[in-house]
Amino acid sequence: MQDLKYVKIDRQVCQWLREAREIVLSELNSQLTVETKSGRKDLVTNVDKQVEQFLTNKIKTQYPESHILGEEGFGDKVDENTDGIIWIVDPIDGTMNFVKQRNNFAIMIGVYKDQEPILGYIMNVVTGELLHGGPLTGIKLNQAEISNIENQGLSEGLIGLSGPLLVHNEYNMQTIGDSALGMRIYGSAGLEIMAVIKGELVGYISYLRPWDFGAGKILAECCGLSFTMVDGQPLNMLSSGVVLIATKRAHSDILTIVSQ
Ligand code: IPD
Ligand code: CA
Ligand code: CA
Ligand code: CA
């Protein structure tokens, strides 16, 4: 049974995301202001900041009791206390793609209440594909129901990997890649998680922070996918680490290789 309260919130957040998409599309061919954060591969643009401010203003106005964890710091200080409602916002996921390709990036929001998953959103900005919903509303890709994800093993599909893990062969990543039919590196955690949900990848492994997986965890688990740390341990919603999202069979295949 759908919970109508959450169906209404879902509709509203989808509308905010369509508006945020318009903001980004209007800047797609403009000159960006690009700054580095921790190093030359860690970028933030004026558009990342603008989108995060837009979304945090909407959330604060409509749901003032909420706490917001935003990648670019326009939210609240959310340390260890995960009680109440927390909105996790990644205004542009795949900022490097946004800067260098002007394509292949996403906007993501995850909503949790007392650590429980409520609603998740991954919007592919350029194509307009929006994956949205949660356990109390069901998951949709725009208006369409998600079809059952085939429970394929690692050897039957493509695996999404992060470049650094592969280059340094961490967690036996090269064997994992070699065991699949092929490897893909998209550069946007959100789009790779979306690809697993659409059945285009059997799994995805990357070092992720809370805003990289907050939305995807809700969506993927609702679709029957496994979402854990790379050693199979459960994820803490406020910590960072190497995360494994996969079909149940690919998840088990990957854990076997990681432990070798
Ligand atoms: C990054 C992307 C990338 C992943 C990085 C993330 P950002 O997010 O999702 O694919 O490999 O770990 O930080 O910084 O562009 O939002
Ligand atoms: Ca970033
Ligand atoms: Ca980001
Ligand atoms: Ca991100």
Side-chain angles (χ1 to χ4, degrees):
M1 247 278 279
Q2 282 192 325
D3 184 323
L4 290 179
K5 182 174 113 188
Y6 290 112
V7 171
K8 208 171 143 216
I9 298 173
D10 182 45
R11 238 180 255 140
Q12 184 179 45
V13 179
C14 286
Q15 178 54 30
W16 296 346
L17 285 166
R18 284 190 284 268
E19 291 171 33
R21 174 175 184 246
E22 288 307 318
I23 295 174
V24 182
L25 290 180
S26 71
E27 298 285 345
L28 210 55
N29 298 311
S30 321
Q31 174 131 29
L32 298 171
T33 306
V34 184
E35 295 165 76
T36 55
K37 300 202 289 186
S38 60
R40 71 184 182 95
K41 298 180 186 176
D42 184 8
L43 308 179
V44 59
T45 75
N46 55 310
V47 180
D48 295 69
K49 294 180 186 178
Q50 198 183 339
V51 170
E52 188 167 310
Q53 273 173 309
F54 171 81
L55 291 172
T56 49
N57 283 341
K58 291 282 188 196
I59 298 163
K60 282 202 168 122
T61 307
Q62 204 63 42
Y63 302 102
E65 73 286 4
S66 300
H67 300 283
I68 306 170
L69 176 62
E71 179 181 5
E72 308 307 343
F74 296 96
D76 305 305
K77 205 166 176 307
V78 179
D79 291 333
E80 273 140 45
N81 187 1
T82 50
D83 293 342
I85 299 179
I86 298 185
W87 296 67
I88 304 180
V89 178
D90 190 339
I92 300 279
D93 175 61
T95 300
M96 186 59 84
N97 287 354
F98 176 55
V99 171
K100 303 310 286 184
Q101 304 179 329
R102 305 289 173 122
N103 199 353
N104 305 314
F105 58 92
I107 304 174
M108 299 200 282
I109 301 179
V111 188
Y112 291 80
K113 186 177 180 193
D114 297 331
Q115 300 92 43
E116 293 300 321
I118 300 291
L119 290 163
Y121 300 84
I122 302 176
M123 156 76 84
N124 180 329
V125 176
V126 172
T127 66
E129 277 183 306
L130 173 58
L131 194 56
H132 63 102
L136 303 169
T137 64
I139 307 292
K140 287 190 172 168
L141 183 60
N142 294 346
Q143 309 304 325
E145 304 287 340
I146 295 287
S147 42
N148 274 347
I149 305 168
E150 223 187 309
N151 188 12
Q152 292 186 322
L154 179 62
S155 65
E156 298 171 285
L158 300 171
I159 181 82
L161 299 175
S162 94
L165 290 178
L166 188 60
V167 167
H168 299 292
N169 197 24
E170 286 185 52
Y171 303 101
N172 236 341
M173 213 52 60
Q174 293 173 1
T175 304
I176 293 171
D178 197 35
S179 304
L181 288 178
M183 297 170 260
R184 298 293 181 268
I185 301 175
Y186 292 12
S188 159
L191 295 187
E192 291 187 83
I193 296 169
M194 194 192 263
V196 183
I197 293 173
K198 288 167 73 180
E200 295 167 357
L201 299 175
V202 290
Y204 169 58
I205 309 170
S206 183
Y207 177 87
L208 299 179
R209 292 176 217 274
W211 38 82
D212 299 315
F213 67 74
K217 184 172 190 295
I218 297 171
L219 295 161
E221 286 183 340
C222 276
C223 296
L225 295 167
S226 299
F227 209 114
T228 66
M229 303 302 289
V230 73
D231 58 2
Q233 291 301 306
L235 252 81
N236 173 322
M237 66 183 268
L238 293 185
S239 51
S240 305
V242 178
V243 173
L244 161 62
I245 302 111
T247 64
K248 295 234 174 332
R249 281 182 57 212
H251 187 265
S252 154
D253 295 340
I254 291 165
L255 290 187
T256 304
I257 300 173
V258 167
S259 66
Q260 276 163 6

